[in-house]
Amino acid sequence: MTQDIKLLYVDDEELNRQMFKIHFGNDFEVYTVEDGEKGLEALETIDGIIVVISDMKMPKMNGVEFVKIAKERFPQKKFYILTGFEITAEIREALESGLIVKFFNKPFNINEITESIQEVLANDL
Amino acid sequence: MDLDLMFVIIALLLVCITLYITIVKLKRKHLQLQDAQKLQSQIYNEIPDLLWFKDPDGVYLFCNQRFEEFFGAKEEEIVNKTDYDFVDKELADMFRENDLLAVKLKGSSVNEEEVAFASDGHKEILETIKTPIYDGKGKLLGVLGIGRDITLRKNSEQDSRRSQDMLKMVMDSIPQFIFWKDLDSVYLGCNRNFANAAGVGESENIVGKTDYDLPWKKEEADFFVQKDREVIASKTPLYHIIEEQQQADGKAAWLDTNKIPMFDESGKVVGTLGTFEDITERKKSELELKKANEELVIALEKARKSKELKKANEKLEELNTKLKTSHKETKKLNRELIFTNDELGDKNKKLEELIQDLKETQSQLLHAEKMASLGILTAGVAHEINNPLNYINGGYLGLKKFHEGKGGILEEHIPVLLDSIKQGVERATVIVKGLNQFSRDNEDYDEVCDIHSILDNSLVMLHNRLKHKVSIVKNYCDKSVEVKGNVGKLHQVVVNILTNSEQAIEEDGEVVIETNVVNNNVVVEITDNGHGISHRNLKHVTDPFFTTKAPGEGTGLGLSITHSIIADHKGKLEYKSEINKWTKAIITLPLTKN
């Protein structure tokens, strides 16, 4: 069941993290961190995280930068970008190179995200 | 020996001597007589003249050798004969006549005759002197005749006469006037010209006259005599004495006279020789020439003047022509000027139109710039608003799920959801308000502008861009700072500067905003630690269209508009920078006076 899927959400805004947890906590096991560095840490320490969703605008390193490093370390994990921005060249490149599975706009569509995760995991199997 | 004997001897001796001497004397006398006779005879025959003596009847008593030659006979043959025995009758008659004439005159008669010598037939001119000879008692003894060959003399006389005639002819032929005077200035002779001038007729008539006897004026005569005296005294000639002389015909003449002293063999002055030329004509010519010359000079002067005048005239004409040409040109220029003026008028109109266009373009550019800045903002703002929207959406979705009983939303989640909505609305409101402030599009400069609030608003608007890249440090002064001006435009200023600061920062930077009150002005300093501005570019940052960004990445108008807005607020904008280190924007604005 989806409840077993461990999901990491990276966003520097507290309220965003809270909201994400509220909305997705039911369907997934949601972990949240506030920046890329903490994100990598979490991936190291928490075993079994399959999906990573990251905000773009963050201090120190932005979403794509974080994903690049994380993907290298954890090529099996699935990465997504969630952003309020329009698609940038950076994001497009990440998309095309398969770095990220998909990117989502804010405000997020819960169904869209849930479906995409299920799809990608189903393909994997 | 006795004394007496001695005396006798001596006496005898004396007598002998005396005798001897007497004999000698006698002998000598005899010899002398003989000699005298011989001498006499010799003399008679040696003398070249003819010598004869006839008795009163014309019978020859004696003749010399020379005479012998004449008659061609010996003396012995001639003596006791007459002329008629030797010469033809005609000649003999003439001889006889002359003899008788001499006797009659009781003195010498002289005549000349050309005779032929019988000896050799040659001819001679004889000058015969016949002299009657008387004895002591006065009785005629006869006539002595002496005949001298004067042929040469006659010839030379003839030659002399001929040369005299020649001389006279020369003197009378030449145009000169010639005269000569003695030491007293009495005329001794002259040539024909002079004689005519003096009115004496023949030249000979001048002899013995003085200048006072001649037709010239007394003053003239005085002058002539004075000149004579000078020449005589100085013994040197005077040449080219120019003098006036009244002629015999009453007309005045001009003479060029030479007065020359005449010397005898001993070198003594004996008189003066005068020659002159009548230079009346020449003088007249001279005077005329002089007059003509003067006239010529005057004429020349006139001509010169006239030439000068002519030249001046020509120059005037030239100038006139030039003037005409320049006048034409001036007229032409005038027309051109009028034309140009019209053109200028047109151009002016066009310029005005152009200025109008430019003004419009400027407006458009300003607008575009504003839009561009706005563009930057909208991108940021869109994202800004997304977040609040996210919250509101999230809150709403949560509440909806709770209400529907789905999705695992619990009661304890409700406050978070509600708060999310609230925060979202608040944030969005702030952003919208800020945007409104920025986009106020009026031209009022009398609005109250709170600098701190404008700064904060601008920061909010740029929040998304600044977030995570730039940390903001605010050093506001305690007092509230208010400026009279245009709120919207001042927002534009701050946003522009902050945008530049953010863009100058690559990754991690800091912007310090400091406000201070200095001398009734507010000084806002915005300092970033971005890549700075080069010394060379620093003075150009506010130039219109100046940008260091790639083409298409910016209008380059931002700071120039910022600069003019500040100027409109009677403020000042200054930039300081150290390349690769920091950039500081200093805005000074006058505070509203309370």
Side-chain angles (χ1 to χ4, degrees):
Chain A
M1 298 293 287
T2 48
Q3 195 135 19
D4 299 339
I5 299 171
K6 288 186 181 157
L7 195 153
L8 177 66
Y9 180 66
V10 187
D11 195 314
D12 60 322
E13 297 240 20
E14 162 92 51
L15 206 48
N16 283 340
R17 292 196 296 274
Q18 282 187 327
M19 293 303 298
F20 195 86
K21 227 179 187 163
I22 291 171
H23 285 293
F24 290 96
N26 215 28
D27 297 319
F28 305 95
E29 198 173 322
V30 177
Y31 297 91
T32 62
V33 290
E34 62 200 25
D35 61 44
E37 205 179 296
K38 295 233 162 66
L40 290 166
E41 242 180 75
L43 288 172
E44 300 280 339
T45 52
I46 302 167
D47 208 26
I49 295 175
I50 307 171
V51 179
V52 181
I53 301 177
S54 172
D55 183 27
M56 266 304 281
K57 236 20 186 84
M58 290 189 296
K60 292 177 198 147
M61 65 174 110
N62 72 17
V64 172
E65 283 163 2
F66 157 67
V67 168
K68 265 191 188 146
I69 300 167
K71 184 75 178 185
E72 215 174 316
R73 288 202 208 157
F74 309 99
Q76 297 303 320
K77 300 193 197 292
K78 309 292 175 200
F79 295 89
Y80 292 89
I81 292 285
L82 171 68
T83 178
F85 283 134
E86 270 297 306
I87 184 169
T88 64
E90 204 178 1
I91 297 168
R92 191 191 299 279
E93 202 196 304
L95 198 62
E96 281 171 5
S97 65
L99 191 68
I100 56 173
V101 181
K102 216 173 178 191
F103 98 97
F104 307 113
N105 276 117
K106 285 185 189 176
F108 50 74
N109 187 321
I110 301 170
N111 288 335
E112 191 194 350
I113 295 173
T114 314
E115 272 171 29
S116 177
I117 294 171
Q118 282 170 343
E119 197 184 323
V120 82
L121 289 178
N123 285 346
D124 237 19
L125 290 168
Chain B
M1 257 317 106
D2 286 320
L3 213 67
D4 297 316
L5 189 71
M6 209 162 54
F7 280 130
V8 171
I9 294 169
I10 291 168
L12 271 169
L13 264 162
L14 280 169
V15 169
C16 280
I17 292 165
T18 312
L19 260 166
Y20 178 68
I21 290 169
T22 311
I23 291 168
V24 165
K25 267 194 172 158
L26 274 171
K27 233 202 164 129
R28 200 189 289 153
K29 256 221 162 91
H30 182 75
L31 276 169
Q32 274 183 346
L33 200 67
Q34 266 193 329
D35 285 336
Q37 271 184 331
K38 251 200 207 141
L39 189 61
Q40 188 183 309
S41 188
Q42 195 172 0
I43 287 169
Y44 283 161
N45 290 321
E46 291 279 306
I47 62 177
D49 297 338
L50 280 71
L51 197 67
W52 69 89
F53 188 75
K54 295 184 214 172
D55 71 10
D57 297 317
V59 177
Y60 281 91
L61 298 176
F62 154 77
C63 78
N64 70 345
Q65 187 175 341
R66 192 92 176 93
F67 194 84
E68 286 174 350
E69 288 170 17
F70 174 50
F71 269 8
K74 293 278 173 196
E75 195 191 353
E76 301 88 51
E77 294 165 352
I78 296 168
V79 167
N80 295 322
K81 290 222 174 73
T82 67
D83 291 306
Y84 295 93
D85 297 314
F86 294 96
V87 297
D88 57 61
K89 186 179 183 296
E90 204 177 318
L91 193 59
D93 283 338
M94 194 191 78
F95 288 163
R96 182 79 187 135
E97 217 174 287
N98 287 334
D99 291 338
L100 291 172
L101 183 61
V103 171
K104 193 172 168 194
L105 288 173
K106 288 197 169 132
S108 311
S109 86
V110 183
N111 62 276
E112 289 173 16
E113 52 217 33
E114 198 185 9
V115 299
F117 270 57
S119 60
D120 53 13
H122 79 271
K123 287 212 174 134
E124 280 181 24
I125 302 170
L126 290 179
E127 184 189 67
T128 317
I129 307 170
K130 295 206 159 129
T131 314
I133 305 290
Y134 301 95
D135 65 3
K137 292 172 190 157
K139 187 181 147 206
L140 182 67
L141 291 174
V143 177
L144 175 68
I146 306 170
R148 175 160 291 171
D149 181 2
I150 57 161
T151 318
L152 282 165
R153 193 182 75 183
K154 236 10 201 198
N155 284 341
S156 86
E157 270 180 14
Q158 214 172 25
D159 289 340
S160 167
R161 209 184 345 270
R162 255 193 228 124
S163 57
Q164 266 193 342
D165 285 342
M166 185 61 130
L167 188 63
K168 188 165 161 62
M169 189 195 76
V170 165
M171 278 210 307
D172 289 338
S173 303
I174 62 180
Q176 275 72 21
F177 296 70
I178 305 174
F179 59 86
W180 48 102
K181 307 176 187 170
D182 65 15
L183 289 168
D184 298 317
S185 296
V186 175
Y187 281 90
L188 297 172
C190 69
N191 73 345
R192 186 180 324 150
N193 280 345
F194 187 81
N196 286 338
V200 295
E202 292 300 319
S203 310
E204 297 79 32
N205 300 338
I206 202 77
V207 181
K209 292 205 165 46
T210 67
D211 287 298
Y212 297 94
D213 303 319
L214 300 174
W216 10 105
K217 300 183 187 161
K218 186 184 176 294
E219 308 83 61
E220 289 167 356
D222 289 336
F223 180 73
F224 301 152
V225 170
Q226 188 208 326
K227 288 292 159 200
D228 293 338
R229 294 226 176 91
E230 275 179 40
V231 164
I232 290 163
S234 67
K235 295 189 188 170
T236 50
L238 282 172
Y239 296 117
H240 297 295
I241 305 161
I242 310 289
E243 60 207 7
E244 251 195 300
Q245 192 188 65
Q246 180 147 303
Q247 306 284 278
D249 56 7
K251 291 198 194 133
W254 277 93
L255 317 173
D256 179 352
T257 308
N258 305 309
K259 287 245 162 90
I260 302 145
M262 296 197 291
F263 302 98
D264 64 11
E265 299 88 0
S266 61
K268 207 170 68 169
V269 183
V270 294
T272 56
L273 171 65
T275 74
F276 62 81
E277 275 189 60
D278 187 333
I279 56 164
T280 314
E281 282 304 308
R282 188 173 76 173
K283 198 82 187 165
K284 202 163 91 177
S285 300
E286 257 181 36
L287 282 167
E288 280 178 2
L289 198 69
K290 193 168 166 200
K291 202 166 118 191
N293 216 36
E294 281 168 5
E295 283 177 2
L296 194 68
V297 167
I298 293 168
L300 225 75
E301 190 60 32
K302 274 193 190 157
R304 190 175 67 79
K305 284 210 175 104
S306 135
K307 200 175 179 188
E308 283 185 358
L309 273 168
K310 192 168 172 212
K311 240 192 189 167
N313 222 34
E314 280 172 5
K315 255 214 162 118
L316 268 168
E317 286 206 6
E318 217 184 284
L319 280 166
N320 214 31
T321 316
K322 278 191 183 158
L323 203 69
K324 278 198 183 133
T325 316
S326 103
H327 181 67
K328 260 196 210 138
E329 286 184 5
T330 309
K331 267 172 115 174
K332 194 167 140 204
L333 271 166
N334 232 33
R335 283 198 295 273
E336 284 177 5
L337 269 170
I338 293 169
F339 184 67
T340 311
N341 222 34
D342 291 337
E343 279 190 346
L344 275 171
D346 290 338
K347 288 214 170 104
N348 230 32
K349 265 199 211 124
K350 285 201 179 129
L351 263 172
E352 280 174 9
E353 286 170 12
L354 201 65
I355 289 170
Q356 232 3 75
D357 285 341
L358 278 170
K359 277 190 178 155
E360 281 172 28
T361 309
Q362 193 183 32
S363 276
Q364 286 172 3
L365 277 169
L366 288 173
H367 193 68
E369 174 59 24
K370 203 171 189 186
M371 289 300 107
S373 335
L374 214 54
I376 294 171
L377 291 178
T378 46
V381 163
H383 197 268
E384 281 295 310
I385 290 196
N386 256 336
N387 267 330
L389 284 176
N390 224 14
Y391 299 152
I392 296 166
N393 194 40
Y396 153 72
L397 281 173
L399 290 170
K400 184 174 168 221
K401 274 192 202 164
F402 181 74
H403 180 68
E404 288 169 351
K406 298 178 195 168
I409 309 294
L410 306 168
E411 179 122 15
E412 63 204 53
H413 293 151
I414 305 295
V416 173
L417 294 165
L418 286 170
D419 190 41
S420 180
I421 293 169
K422 179 172 166 234
Q423 274 207 31
V425 170
E426 273 174 3
R427 276 221 197 160
T429 308
V430 163
I431 287 162
V432 169
K433 264 205 186 133
L435 211 54
N436 276 339
Q437 289 287 299
F438 179 77
S439 62
R440 273 162 76 138
D441 201 11
N442 63 29
E443 292 294 322
D444 300 330
Y445 278 84
D446 54 4
E447 300 170 330
V448 172
C449 310
D450 184 326
I451 298 300
H452 292 150
S453 119
I454 289 170
L455 285 164
D456 289 337
N457 257 350
S458 306
L459 283 167
V460 166
M461 276 188 280
L462 294 170
H463 175 70
N464 226 296
R465 289 181 75 90
L466 300 169
K467 180 172 84 161
H468 305 313
K469 186 171 145 184
V470 182
S471 54
I472 304 293
V473 175
K474 299 203 290 193
N475 285 334
Y476 293 175
C477 65
D478 297 331
K479 313 171 207 176
S480 119
V481 276
E482 280 170 4
V483 167
K484 205 169 198 175
N486 185 293
V487 172
K489 288 187 196 278
L490 284 178
H491 270 90
Q492 207 176 348
V493 162
V494 176
V495 165
N496 267 338
I497 293 170
L498 285 173
T499 307
N500 282 344
S501 296
E502 180 266 312
Q503 285 168 344
I505 295 168
E506 279 276 320
E507 270 188 0
D508 245 310
E510 187 183 85
V511 171
V512 178
I513 304 175
E514 200 174 304
T515 65
N516 281 303
V517 173
V518 176
N519 290 343
N520 246 356
N521 290 321
V522 56
V523 179
V524 179
E525 289 187 9
I526 301 172
T527 317
D528 67 70
N529 57 359
H531 54 56
I533 304 168
S534 72
H535 183 71
R536 187 162 43 104
N537 287 337
L538 199 54
K539 49 182 175 284
H540 293 297
V541 287
T542 56
D543 291 352
F545 305 109
F546 180 84
T547 177
T548 54
K549 292 180 189 157
E553 264 189 42
T555 56
L557 285 171
L559 280 183
S560 117
I561 290 168
T562 303
H563 184 263
S564 29
I565 293 170
I566 292 170
D568 290 342
H569 283 77
K570 310 269 192 294
K572 208 170 61 170
L573 173 62
E574 250 185 279
Y575 261 89
K576 290 186 182 168
S577 176
E578 213 178 299
I579 188 101
N580 297 323
K581 293 224 174 117
W582 54 265
T583 307
K584 187 194 289 263
I586 306 165
I587 306 154
T588 313
L589 291 162
L591 293 165
T592 44
K593 298 182 179 130
N594 291 339

XYZ file of all heavy atoms in Angstrom, chain B residues 462-499:
302
model
N 10.654 42.614 -3.728
C 11.793 41.883 -4.270
C 12.131 40.658 -3.407
O 13.141 40.005 -3.638
C 13.021 42.809 -4.346
C 12.904 43.960 -5.336
C 14.054 44.939 -5.147
C 12.899 43.439 -6.776
N 11.290 40.392 -2.453
C 11.553 39.340 -1.474
C 11.990 38.036 -2.119
O 12.957 37.415 -1.701
C 10.301 39.119 -0.614
C 10.441 37.965 0.333
N 11.277 38.003 1.411
C 9.854 36.750 0.349
C 11.183 36.843 2.080
N 10.322 36.060 1.450
N 11.241 37.642 -3.113
C 11.516 36.353 -3.726
C 12.865 36.306 -4.403
O 13.563 35.301 -4.364
C 10.436 36.037 -4.755
C 9.982 34.631 -4.578
O 10.746 33.674 -4.751
N 8.753 34.483 -4.163
N 13.220 37.388 -5.021
C 14.526 37.422 -5.700
C 15.641 37.445 -4.663
O 16.693 36.818 -4.841
C 14.648 38.667 -6.583
C 13.776 38.637 -7.811
C 13.992 39.905 -8.612
N 15.269 39.858 -9.323
C 15.410 39.376 -10.559
N 14.379 38.868 -11.192
N 16.599 39.386 -11.128
N 15.383 38.197 -3.619
C 16.450 38.390 -2.631
C 16.624 37.155 -1.727
O 17.717 36.835 -1.285
C 16.136 39.616 -1.761
C 16.013 40.957 -2.500
C 15.441 42.022 -1.587
C 17.354 41.404 -3.056
N 15.513 36.475 -1.515
C 15.473 35.341 -0.587
C 16.562 34.334 -0.892
O 16.752 33.947 -2.018
C 14.082 34.684 -0.735
C 13.843 33.486 0.144
C 12.399 33.043 0.062
C 12.190 32.144 -1.149
N 10.916 31.354 -0.990
N 17.283 33.929 0.078
C 18.323 32.894 -0.017
C 19.578 33.351 -0.750
O 20.620 32.731 -0.655
C 17.814 31.613 -0.705
C 16.603 31.063 -0.044
N 16.521 30.907 1.326
C 15.417 30.659 -0.553
C 15.321 30.418 1.626
N 14.634 30.261 0.518
N 19.499 34.408 -1.500
C 20.701 34.846 -2.239
C 21.322 36.040 -1.547
O 22.547 36.152 -1.434
C 20.285 35.198 -3.671
C 21.446 35.536 -4.576
C 20.967 35.662 -6.031
C 21.747 36.738 -6.737
N 21.298 36.987 -8.106
N 20.437 36.918 -1.127
C 20.925 38.160 -0.526
C 20.332 38.308 0.859
O 19.102 38.235 1.029
C 20.504 39.369 -1.391
C 21.043 40.658 -0.804
C 20.997 39.192 -2.827
N 21.179 38.546 1.805
C 20.643 38.860 3.135
C 20.614 40.359 3.289
O 21.543 41.068 2.906
C 21.495 38.203 4.215
O 22.853 38.560 4.050
N 19.500 40.822 3.848
C 19.289 42.266 3.965
C 19.615 42.714 5.367
O 19.158 42.096 6.339
C 17.821 42.622 3.639
C 17.433 42.096 2.245
C 17.590 44.126 3.733
C 18.137 42.763 1.073
N 20.401 43.788 5.456
C 20.693 44.374 6.763
C 20.146 45.779 6.769
O 20.463 46.588 5.896
C 22.226 44.386 7.040
C 22.530 45.096 8.340
C 22.784 42.978 7.015
N 19.257 46.054 7.715
C 18.638 47.379 7.747
C 19.194 48.187 8.903
O 19.137 47.754 10.056
C 17.115 47.240 7.891
C 16.488 46.494 6.721
C 15.023 46.803 6.521
C 14.181 46.208 7.627
N 12.727 46.229 7.278
N 19.734 49.354 8.559
C 20.227 50.285 9.588
C 19.488 51.599 9.458
O 20.034 52.613 9.039
C 21.741 50.527 9.418
C 22.576 49.366 9.877
O 22.143 48.586 10.738
N 23.762 49.221 9.321
N 18.202 51.534 9.811
C 17.428 52.766 9.691
C 17.716 53.678 10.859
O 17.978 53.220 11.972
C 15.928 52.451 9.671
C 15.454 51.708 8.451
C 14.124 51.276 8.366
C 16.283 51.400 7.379
C 13.656 50.596 7.254
C 15.829 50.722 6.273
C 14.502 50.318 6.208
O 14.038 49.633 5.106
N 17.610 54.998 10.589
C 17.781 55.944 11.698
C 16.495 55.957 12.528
O 15.445 55.511 12.083
C 18.090 57.336 11.156
S 16.740 58.069 10.221
N 16.609 56.499 13.701
C 15.466 56.452 14.638
C 14.272 57.252 14.159
O 13.127 56.843 14.305
C 15.912 56.990 16.013
C 16.999 56.101 16.585
O 16.995 54.896 16.264
O 17.861 56.616 17.319
N 14.593 58.422 13.632
C 13.484 59.308 13.281
C 12.735 58.779 12.069
O 13.258 57.971 11.293
C 14.007 60.713 12.958
C 14.984 61.235 13.947
C 15.600 62.513 13.451
C 16.984 62.596 14.106
N 17.721 63.717 13.641
N 11.533 59.284 11.952
C 10.815 58.975 10.720
C 11.219 60.037 9.701
O 11.309 61.216 10.021
C 9.302 59.000 10.999
O 8.669 59.987 10.225
N 11.478 59.589 8.495
C 11.955 60.516 7.464
C 10.930 60.638 6.344
O 10.547 59.643 5.736
C 13.325 60.091 6.909
C 14.426 60.596 7.788
C 13.421 58.593 6.748
N 10.483 61.845 6.156
C 9.465 62.075 5.126
C 9.974 63.067 4.104
O 10.581 64.089 4.443
C 8.183 62.608 5.774
C 7.355 61.512 6.408
C 6.233 62.098 7.241
O 6.069 63.348 7.264
O 5.530 61.315 7.877
N 9.700 62.742 2.865
C 10.124 63.587 1.743
C 8.887 63.962 0.946
O 7.992 63.137 0.757
C 11.129 62.833 0.856
C 11.333 63.546 -0.461
C 12.452 62.663 1.567
N 8.837 65.182 0.479
C 7.722 65.585 -0.368
C 8.044 65.216 -1.798
O 9.062 65.631 -2.338
C 7.530 67.100 -0.251
C 6.123 67.555 -0.554
C 5.934 68.999 -0.160
C 4.468 69.344 -0.039
N 4.297 70.709 0.465
N 7.195 64.415 -2.391
C 7.472 64.032 -3.766
C 6.428 63.089 -4.304
O 5.245 63.214 -3.967
N 6.873 62.130 -5.111
C 5.972 61.178 -5.766
C 6.285 59.773 -5.254
O 7.385 59.262 -5.467
C 6.153 61.276 -7.287
C 5.173 60.407 -8.036
O 5.238 59.177 -7.961
N 4.249 61.033 -8.736
N 5.283 59.183 -4.583
C 5.485 57.878 -3.936
C 5.871 56.809 -4.933
O 6.827 56.061 -4.730
C 4.211 57.469 -3.151
C 4.329 56.055 -2.648
C 3.972 58.426 -2.003
N 5.081 56.725 -6.001
C 5.312 55.676 -6.998
C 6.712 55.754 -7.564
O 7.430 54.762 -7.677
N 7.129 56.969 -7.894
C 8.438 57.134 -8.522
C 9.555 56.796 -7.540
O 10.557 56.195 -7.935
C 8.593 58.562 -9.028
C 7.728 58.831 -10.258
C 8.033 60.193 -10.842
C 6.952 60.639 -11.799
N 7.068 60.100 -13.136
N 9.382 57.157 -6.289
C 10.430 56.829 -5.309
C 10.527 55.314 -5.106
O 11.610 54.781 -4.906
C 10.171 57.548 -3.987
C 10.512 59.044 -4.009
C 10.177 59.701 -2.684
C 11.968 59.284 -4.345
N 9.367 54.633 -5.204
C 9.396 53.170 -5.167
C 10.249 52.644 -6.303
O 11.067 51.741 -6.128
C 7.977 52.590 -5.298
C 7.294 52.397 -3.986
N 6.521 53.363 -3.410
C 7.304 51.330 -3.153
C 6.045 52.893 -2.258
N 6.502 51.658 -2.066
N 10.008 53.255 -7.458
C 10.752 52.816 -8.656
C 12.250 52.948 -8.428
O 13.032 52.070 -8.807
C 10.305 53.678 -9.838
C 10.442 52.985 -11.158
C 9.903 53.830 -12.301
O 9.230 54.838 -12.111
N 10.196 53.414 -13.514
N 12.616 54.058 -7.795
C 14.029 54.317 -7.510
C 14.623 53.195 -6.662
O 15.641 52.595 -7.011
C 14.179 55.677 -6.780
C 15.515 55.782 -6.087
C 14.021 56.820 -7.777
N 13.955 52.905 -5.540
C 14.497 51.897 -4.611
C 14.550 50.530 -5.267
O 15.542 49.809 -5.141
C 13.661 51.851 -3.314
C 14.156 50.754 -2.401
C 13.720 53.195 -2.606
N 13.477 50.197 -5.970
C 13.430 48.884 -6.636
C 14.567 48.763 -7.633
O 15.250 47.738 -7.699
C 12.066 48.672 -7.337
C 12.136 47.511 -8.315
C 10.993 48.430 -6.308
N 14.789 49.830 -8.413
C 15.872 49.814 -9.392
C 17.212 49.528 -8.744
O 17.964 48.654 -9.178
C 15.947 51.158 -10.114
C 15.143 51.171 -11.397
O 14.869 50.114 -11.964
N 14.754 52.340 -11.838
N 17.495 50.303 -7.706
C 18.802 50.173 -7.058
C 18.958 48.789 -6.429
O 19.988 48.130 -6.576
C 19.010 51.291 -6.009
C 19.100 52.640 -6.747
C 20.264 51.039 -5.193
C 19.067 53.849 -5.847
N 17.890 48.350 -5.738
C 17.967 47.035 -5.092
C 18.103 45.925 -6.123
O 18.836 44.951 -5.915
C 16.729 46.798 -4.215
C 16.710 47.578 -2.902
C 15.375 47.411 -2.192
C 17.851 47.130 -1.989
N 17.412 46.082 -7.235
C 17.508 45.077 -8.298
C 18.944 44.988 -8.793
O 19.491 43.896 -8.976
C 16.586 45.446 -9.477
O 15.281 45.667 -8.979
C 16.564 44.350 -10.515
